[in-house]
Every structure is written in C-alpha cells, then in structure tokens.
Amino acid sequence: MRTALVTGAARGIGAATVVRLAELGYAVLAVDVAADDPALPYGLGSSAELAAVAARTGAEVFVADVRDPAALAAAVAVAERRWGGLDVAIAAAGVIAGGVPQWEVPLEQEEAVLDVDLRGVLNLARAAIPALLRRPAPRSGRFLAVASAAATRGLPMLAAYCAAKAGVAGFVRALGAELGGTGVTANAVSPGSTDTPILAESARLYGLPGAAEFAGQQPVGRLLEPDEIARVLAFLADPDSGATTGAVVPVDGGLAL
Ligand SMILES: NC(=O)c1ccc[n+]([C@@H]2O[C@H](COP(=O)([O-])OP(=O)(O)OC[C@H]3O[C@@H](n4cnc5c(N)ncnc54)[C@H](O)[C@@H]3O)[C@@H](O)[C@H]2O)c1
C-alpha cells in the first residue's frame, strides 16, 4: 500500500487530492491548519471540513500549520509509525492576500503569503524527503507542490503571491536536481483559476462580483474543478511518473499561454 501526506487537505485542491488518492488505494494523512489566520481577512479550512474529508475517504487527520517545521516533522512521524513509511508528500496548503500595490499590503499579510506559500513548501520538503529516502531502493518517492500560473505571470496586486509561487517553481527544479538518481522525484503543478475559496478571495481582492469572472481569462473558457488538478497530482504521485522530475506542469486551462 502506498502512503501519502497532503497539506491543505481540509478543502479545495488539497481535499480533492485526498479523495483521489484514497480512491486509488493510498493511505493518506490529511494535514491542515484547520483554523483562520488572524492576519488574513478571509476564512481558511475548518476542523469540520477536515473531519468531513477524513470521514469520506478514511484518511487520518493531523492538524498542523505548515509554517511550523516541528509540527510537519511530527506529521511525517505519525505516517511512518502508522503505515511503516511514506511514499508521497504533497504541499497544497496556500493563502492569498493583496488587492493593493505591493508597498501598501499590510506586512503581516505579506508575511503570511510568503511564509505559508513558499516557506511552508520548504518546511514540508525538510520533514518529508528524508522519510521518502528511508524507503528501501528501488524507490518511487514523490515530493509534489502546488505552485500556480502566478509563478510565471505577473499578476498585479498579487505580487507577494507571484513571488512565492515563482519561488516554489525554482525550489522544485533544484530539488529534482538534488534528488538525482535516488528514485525520489520532485515536481509541481501550476493550476489556473480553479473553483475554490481562494479564488473567491482573489475575486474579492480585485473587486469582482465573484470567481466566475475569471473564467473568460482562461482559454478553456471556464473555471477548473479541484479534481482536475488532483488527477494530475495523482499521476505525478504514481511510480509510473518516474521520468518526470524538477518539472512545473501547467494544469491551467491555457491561462499561462
Ligand atoms: N484555486 C485556484 O484558482 C488556485 C490557482 C493556482 C494555485 N492555487 C494553489 O492551490 C493550493 C490550494 O488552494 P485552494 O485553491 O484549494 O484554496 P483553499 O483556500 O480552498 O484551500 C487552502 C487550504 O490550505 C489550508 N491552509 C492555509 N494555510 C495553512 C497553513 N499555514 N498550514 C496548513 N494549512 C493551511 C487552508 O486551511 C485550506 O484548507 C494553494 O497553494 C493555492 O495557492 C490555487
């Protein structure tokens, strides 16, 4: 049985990824902060949502803030103790802030974006990659992160978010090179506008009536569903994806074109 740890698991893309991996037979540790962030003006995933994902999938729940390296180390230790090892770690937790020029964004909001969206990914790698490497060779460990079309597009009023996501892209490229012939790979996906609460918050930051307004910007002419991102993550989590490493795979309906 393959095992996976997914952050940002209470809702959105992280939750859809837990559902998809559980359907594929993975044992999953569903990790989320499951609390609002006082620095941010919108709500994050709740403990009730996290519990609902667990009830639906049989995943185990672990409450942790990805900004806390010790908490992520504890989560990895739980997965290894419970299932004897870890095969896949997916960094999907993320937040957004902005809506005004960078120099006007409150510092605590900018810190939340950089610390969760970039530092949180590095923290998960620090905790999880040693566990992926503890599996005996031949390995098929997978470290995956959710970047964004914002990693390559300059989105006004979302400068810190763009910086964090570009950082994630650079990070997985370097990790892929570092991991070399270990059998463990590192990749990211870059979603386009996907119908989750973070997109609703993006619409609010741009003064738009709702997330549906973003559909027209995307060549496919619609918003993406979280499961469409989860399916690509599930492919990259599979041992069959071993030829792909250090890649940032667009799953964006053409948004980055
Ligand atoms: N929805 C989109 O259009 C879109 C596009 C590109 C990239 N993304 C990225 O996809 C990822 C998932 O976002 P989503 O769309 O599902 O948004 P979402 O807001 O629905 O889900 C994010 C989840 O992350 C959790 N989280 C936030 N801060 C955390 C922390 N410090 N520690 C642990 N968990 C934390 C939240 O509680 C929530 O459950 C994010 O990295 C986001 O930046 C989303």
Side-chain angles (χ1 to χ4, degrees):
M1 181 183 54
R2 269 172 88 76
T3 67
L5 184 162
V6 180
T7 71
R11 70 183 191 195
I13 292 168
T17 304
V18 174
V19 170
R20 175 72 34 199
L21 292 180
E23 280 173 10
L24 291 168
Y26 285 75
V28 186
L29 190 66
V31 178
D32 203 285
V33 70
D36 289 344
D37 188 322
L40 298 172
Y42 74 105
L44 300 182
S46 67
S47 52
E49 286 172 307
L50 186 59
V53 171
R56 182 175 166 196
T57 60
E60 299 276 332
V61 159
F62 194 99
V63 173
D65 188 324
V66 298
R67 290 170 290 196
D68 180 350
L72 291 180
V76 169
V78 163
E80 286 190 295
R81 261 201 317 273
R82 178 91 164 76
W83 299 307
L86 186 68
D87 299 294
V88 177
I90 303 183
V95 297
I96 203 160
V100 293
Q102 184 272 335
W103 50 95
E104 294 175 11
V105 174
L107 194 57
E108 65 273 19
Q109 293 188 13
E110 188 171 274
E111 281 171 351
V113 169
L114 293 174
D115 291 351
V116 176
D117 294 357
L118 179 55
R119 171 57 72 186
V121 177
L122 274 66
N123 286 343
L124 183 65
R126 181 177 291 274
I129 289 179
L132 302 179
L133 291 169
R134 278 193 285 275
R135 285 292 209 197
R139 297 181 196 87
S140 56
R142 304 285 178 253
F143 181 81
L144 301 173
V146 180
S148 170
T152 48
R153 290 192 68 185
L155 302 177
M157 316 299 167
L158 292 175
Y161 185 77
C162 290
K165 295 300 187 178
V168 170
F171 180 61
V172 300
R173 279 193 285 269
L175 269 188
E178 280 183 2
L179 286 163
T182 62
V184 177
T185 61
N187 294 290
V189 297
S190 275
S193 295
T194 308
D195 196 7
T196 74
I198 220 175
L199 194 67
E201 175 63 5
S202 310
R204 192 190 68 79
L205 290 171
Y206 278 128
L208 299 170
E213 302 289 319
F214 290 114
Q217 297 177 2
Q218 224 153 225
V220 294
R222 61 177 178 82
L223 298 184
L224 307 176
E225 291 300 325
D227 182 57
E228 297 184 275
I229 318 303
R231 284 169 187 264
V232 179
L233 285 167
F235 167 70
L236 292 170
D238 194 89
D240 277 355
S241 72
T244 301
T245 196
V248 183
V249 179
V251 193
D252 65 359
L255 183 60
L257 295 175

